[in-house]
């Protein structure tokens, strides 16, 4: 279940920032990217950073608490 949470959060973060990128490109092309949208993108970027933070937290738990992936480095 922890692996699923980590994977899902990482996938959501990837799609979230991809959508944010295309939204920003759209606004730039339409020349509607003004100060109001700059502040909105700062807020949306901070929300996206929380997704990455949570994915990293669960990934750290997988490695340090459960030893996932540590067998690659031998005995």
């Amino acid at each position: 279940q922890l692996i699923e949470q980590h994977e899902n959060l990482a996938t959501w973060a990837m799609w979230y920032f991809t959508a944010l990128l295309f939204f920003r490109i759209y606004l730039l092309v339409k020349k509607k990217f003004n100060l109001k949208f700059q502040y909105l993108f700062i807020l949306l970027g901070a929300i996206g950073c929380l997704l990455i933070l949570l994915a990293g937290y669960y990934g750290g738990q997988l490695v340090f608490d459960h030893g996932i992936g540590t067998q690659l480095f031998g005995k």
Side-chain angles (χ1 to χ4, degrees), residues 63 67-75:
V63 172
I68 304 289
T70 56
Q71 62 272 24
L72 296 173
F73 297 105
K75 303 165 185 176

Side-chain angles (χ1 to χ4, degrees), residues 3-51:
I3 293 174
E4 272 186 43
Q5 285 177 327
H6 171 67
E7 286 178 354
N8 288 338
L9 282 167
T11 302
W12 275 103
M14 178 191 67
W15 287 114
Y16 179 81
F17 279 112
T18 301
L20 208 58
L21 171 70
F22 283 112
F23 182 50
R24 183 170 176 155
I25 290 172
Y26 171 78
L27 290 173
L28 286 171
V29 168
K30 295 292 183 177
K31 298 191 187 321
K32 295 183 178 181
F33 192 71
N34 54 24
L35 188 64
K36 174 179 67 171
F37 282 115
Q38 288 178 0
Y39 288 124
L40 176 66
F41 273 88
I42 290 171
L43 176 65
L44 293 174
I47 292 169
C49 286
L50 288 175
L51 286 172

